[in-house]
Amino acid sequence: MTVIDAPPAQVPDELSPQRGRWHRVRPFLPLVALAVLAILPYSTMSLPGIFEGPVNSPGTLQLLAICLIFGGLAAGYDLLFGRTGMLSFGHALYFAAGVYGTDILVTRAGLPLWQAALLTITGGTILAALLGAVALRTVGIAFAMVTLAFAQVGAILVARDFGGLTGGEEGLPLDVSGLPAGLVGVTNTVNLYWLALAYLTLVVFVVHRVSGSPTGRVLAGLRDDERRIGVLGLDPYRYKLVAFTLAGGLASAGGVVYVLIVGGASPHITSSELTLSLLVMVVLGGPGTRWGPVLGGVLYMYLDHRLTAFGTSDAVDNLPAFLSHPLSQPLFVLGTVFILAVYFFPGGLTSLAPRLSHLTRSLRPPR
Amino acid sequence: MGTVILLALTGLGLAALYFLVASGLSLVFGLADVLNFAHGLFLGVGAYGTWWAAGNLPGAGPDGFGFVLAVAFGVAAGTLVAILVELVLIRPLYSRTIEQVLVTVGLSLAGVALLQATWGADARTFPRPDWTRQVTGILGAQVPNGGLLLIVAAVLVLGAILAFLRWTRYGLVIRAGVENREMVTALGIDVRKAFTLVFAIGGAAAALAGALGGVYFGTVSPGQGGSLLIFAFIVVVIGGMGSVIGSAYAAVVVGLVQQFVNYYGTSGLGDICVVGLLAVVLLLRPQGIAGKVATA
């Protein structure tokens, strides 16, 4: 079985005296963050350089909503990679099932949104259960390859447009005539933003509850030593299938929200590159931690969008060609940062804070 | 009858392309346990190296001996990149499999983006000798010469790799390393030198696939390697990881199935059949057609 580095053990609180004042506030920080994010659309603050318009402009809100969705997707993927130690390369499939399922049921079949969403999430979960049941017959790298191949089938099905359902290469714009009025139109972007925030909250809550439950302990055990779980009389296959199905269901729910925000489906979301970027998000943020994957997902999507603007800005254009051309490719920058992250901060962004505090403590003169 | 022969030969051409990519992947995985996502990058470097050399390198050109020189330059570039990747990025993470996979994932994203930044996202016309555009009549079928060239090249590469593995000392070390790496290390042989060698061989084969694939398709684009890579992965798993012969058999099966089903069924159905084949093989015989058990 492949050895995966466990996240560093939590330092017992009595050993970190500096945290005394923060300690009492800490459990409430997520709620504070949620409240801030929820009232953010009421702010007309303008952050030049970070966002193009004021915070409550539709463009900025849409970008933020996409970031939140991918934060949630990364958190769901972390249930597989960081918490159970399964390296799946096919997670994009369940997300794409959510996106295309909703789109096809609403646009082609004319169902109301709530029915389409319910059917899609159920379908996506069943799909994950079925494919997981086959793929989990293999372990390790072979598992990665089988999930990759399944996701590739999804990509082919979408691209070849069997039965004229998916719109092929051009994608399928969402037919908004049957949707609730509050979710349609530029002025209602704020509702979509709240929907995305609700999705992120749901995923974080579910992942948190699952990893704290007895099942979560078994999953962590599977990550650390699968054979030992087997010796304890628990069936690894069953637990892994539960995690895989749950993660697939969460991803397809994310797809439902995503299709509303973007207003259609395009074939690039079925590509294996999306799964690879999910992996990048989780590793950048910190696998197996509560906030790391969310942070990684939000930051990755933000950079992916903003680096395009940064790449065409004057500051980059004035550089010599051998620098400006690669810097105008977001994936080049992100890929390089990712490689550096694997080498120099393996625990991701969330491991930076404890590391820095160690550094500052050792630099401070002894009392 | 002509159609069947044409489909068989173009299928074999496709199989040759898969084999050139998969043989290196299979050896790298068998020996070093690295699932190399950056293999598509080596292919891209080979294709763009050939394309660049044909236009800019003195003596090289799109025809005759100049073309051979251009391909040689592309293959050399691919090999060099593969060796550098192994020495600089993979070696420091020795025996940490997941991190190695992650690094190659990052490399595949950044590398393709770099190719795109340098030469643009659009496909470029590939320089190719005139005779590769023509067709040869074989038993009533008009077969494109580019495909035949691929088949000949793949057979030569297969022969060369097998001869190398069977009759040289380094080949022996590689074969023994695939079988049991710890034992080889315990006998006092530095397996890591063999890793570099295997990366070089794989990089060269992939770069050759890039150059000849460019001839076959007529164009070269940054994303070409990625789409071939997924089928190469499938070939490696079906063939059995670490087995070159297994990869060859699997490549032939995958290429033929894809070509015939895509022709007689709907377009795209062949690709799906291949994945179905993969699922069946994994369920019935997880270790592949030949080779060691396909687990981490």
Side-chain angles (χ1 to χ4, degrees):
Chain A
M1 190 53 213
T2 323
V3 181
I4 291 167
D5 286 352
Q10 291 269 307
V11 181
D13 288 314
E14 60 270 23
L15 292 183
S16 47
Q18 272 87 3
R19 297 228 182 114
R21 202 175 309 154
W22 278 103
H23 187 69
R24 219 166 296 157
V25 196
R26 260 183 90 104
F28 300 103
L29 278 183
L31 287 179
V32 173
L34 179 64
V36 168
L37 282 173
I39 59 169
L40 198 62
Y42 292 112
S43 146
T44 52
M45 198 172 30
S46 173
L47 299 166
I50 299 182
F51 296 114
E52 263 164 14
V55 175
N56 65 346
S57 69
T60 306
L61 281 180
Q62 193 189 25
L63 173 59
L64 280 175
I66 291 178
C67 290
L68 292 177
I69 291 280
F70 274 83
L73 273 182
Y77 183 69
D78 187 53
L79 192 62
L80 294 181
F81 177 68
R83 297 187 189 268
T84 318
M86 289 192 278
L87 187 58
S88 159
F89 278 114
H91 207 60
L93 179 64
Y94 310 106
F95 176 62
V99 171
Y100 271 98
T102 315
D103 202 351
I104 288 172
L105 286 177
V106 168
T107 308
R108 302 271 192 226
L111 288 185
L113 179 66
W114 67 272
Q115 284 183 7
L118 208 63
L119 274 175
T120 304
I121 296 174
T122 317
T125 313
I126 293 174
L127 182 73
L130 285 179
L131 294 184
V134 176
L136 284 168
R137 301 283 295 262
T138 59
V139 289
I141 296 295
F143 173 74
M145 290 193 178
V146 177
T147 50
L148 180 70
F150 283 152
Q152 188 63 17
V153 172
I156 295 167
L157 281 177
V158 166
R160 299 295 162 101
D161 196 9
F162 287 112
L165 282 177
T166 62
E169 297 280 324
E170 279 136 39
L172 183 63
L174 187 66
D175 178 14
V176 293
S177 58
L179 295 187
L183 296 176
V184 182
V186 179
T187 46
N188 287 323
T189 313
V190 60
N191 294 336
L192 296 172
Y193 168 83
W194 279 324
L195 199 59
L197 186 61
Y199 169 70
L200 175 64
T201 315
L202 173 82
V203 173
V204 170
F205 181 72
V206 168
V207 171
H208 175 55
R209 286 308 296 264
V210 167
S211 55
S213 69
T215 309
R217 279 153 208 260
V218 177
L219 294 182
L222 284 171
R223 174 189 64 196
D224 297 337
D225 192 343
E226 185 172 333
R227 211 171 300 157
R228 200 153 161 191
I229 295 294
V231 170
L232 287 175
L234 299 162
D235 186 5
Y237 178 81
R238 211 175 286 174
Y239 280 93
K240 285 201 277 189
L241 190 57
V242 167
F244 194 84
T245 311
L246 186 60
L250 288 176
S252 51
V256 174
V257 184
Y258 181 82
V259 76
L260 290 173
I261 292 171
V262 181
S266 65
H268 80 268
I269 55 155
T270 60
S271 72
S272 57
E273 249 171 53
L274 189 90
T275 311
L276 295 189
S277 40
L278 283 179
L279 189 63
V280 173
M281 291 169 196
V282 170
V283 173
L284 273 185
T289 57
R290 191 182 309 163
W291 300 109
V294 177
L295 210 62
V298 170
L299 209 62
Y300 181 98
M301 274 330 268
Y302 172 75
L303 288 177
D304 196 29
H305 277 81
R306 289 298 296 173
L307 282 176
T308 320
F310 167 71
T312 49
S313 67
D314 290 339
V316 172
D317 266 351
N318 292 338
L319 291 172
F322 71 93
L323 273 179
S324 74
H325 283 186
L327 281 181
S328 64
Q329 296 282 340
L331 271 183
F332 176 75
V333 179
L334 287 169
T336 312
V337 170
F338 176 62
I339 294 175
L340 294 177
V342 172
Y343 275 100
F344 298 113
F345 48 108
L349 287 175
T350 44
S351 76
L352 279 185
R355 279 177 189 224
L356 284 179
S357 74
H358 276 297
L359 194 68
T360 48
R361 209 176 304 162
S362 57
L363 288 179
R364 204 178 297 155
R367 269 174 287 183
Chain B
M1 188 60 200
T3 322
V4 173
I5 289 178
L6 177 66
L7 284 176
L9 282 172
T10 45
L12 283 179
L14 202 59
L17 205 54
Y18 291 155
F19 168 75
L20 286 177
V21 182
S23 56
L25 270 180
S26 177
L27 275 181
V28 167
F29 187 85
L31 186 65
D33 284 342
V34 181
L35 181 64
N36 189 7
F37 272 86
H39 215 71
L41 175 66
F42 305 158
L43 187 137
V45 168
Y48 274 99
T50 310
W51 172 81
W52 181 85
N56 299 322
L57 197 71
D63 238 328
F65 179 71
F67 181 70
V68 176
L69 196 64
V71 172
F73 179 83
V75 171
T79 315
L80 194 68
V81 170
I83 292 175
L84 280 179
V85 164
E86 203 279 329
L87 288 181
V88 178
L89 292 175
I90 306 289
R91 181 164 291 193
L93 296 173
Y94 177 64
S95 84
R96 289 163 63 188
T97 320
I98 295 288
E99 274 89 347
Q100 284 174 332
V101 174
L102 295 181
V103 163
T104 63
V105 165
L107 198 63
S108 72
L109 293 177
V112 171
L114 193 62
L115 286 180
Q116 202 165 319
T118 320
W119 284 297
D122 299 329
R124 302 259 182 166
T125 321
F126 202 78
R128 42 182 181 168
D130 277 333
W131 59 268
T132 59
R133 295 162 201 254
Q134 286 146 13
V135 291
T136 309
I138 298 173
L139 297 172
Q142 302 292 314
V143 187
N145 284 339
L148 294 178
L149 177 67
L150 264 176
I151 298 175
V152 171
V155 170
L156 288 179
V157 168
L158 173 64
I161 293 182
L162 285 183
F164 172 78
L165 288 178
R166 197 149 296 169
W167 287 308
T168 64
R169 185 181 153 72
Y170 278 107
L172 185 69
V173 172
I174 291 174
R175 274 189 295 147
V178 171
E179 202 78 30
N180 188 339
R181 194 170 69 205
E182 287 77 16
M183 197 53 171
V184 176
T185 319
L187 290 173
I189 296 165
D190 188 1
V191 181
R192 284 191 260 181
K193 269 186 197 139
F195 285 5
T196 317
L197 191 64
V198 162
F199 259 84
I201 295 173
L208 186 65
L212 297 183
V215 170
Y216 186 57
F217 296 123
T219 55
V220 51
S221 62
Q224 221 163 33
S227 47
L228 271 173
L229 192 64
I230 291 182
F231 284 103
F233 277 149
I234 295 177
V235 164
V236 170
V237 178
I238 293 181
M241 313 204 190
S243 162
V244 176
I245 278 281
S247 293
Y249 287 138
V252 169
V253 171
V254 167
L256 288 180
V257 164
Q258 216 174 359
Q259 204 72 339
F260 274 94
V261 179
N262 272 345
Y263 182 80
Y264 288 109
T266 331
S267 160
L269 196 62
D271 306 11
I272 295 169
C273 279
V274 168
V275 178
L277 191 68
L278 170 79
V280 170
V281 167
L282 274 173
L283 292 180
L284 296 182
R285 198 176 151 82
Q287 70 271 38
I289 297 175
K292 67 177 185 180
V293 178
T295 53

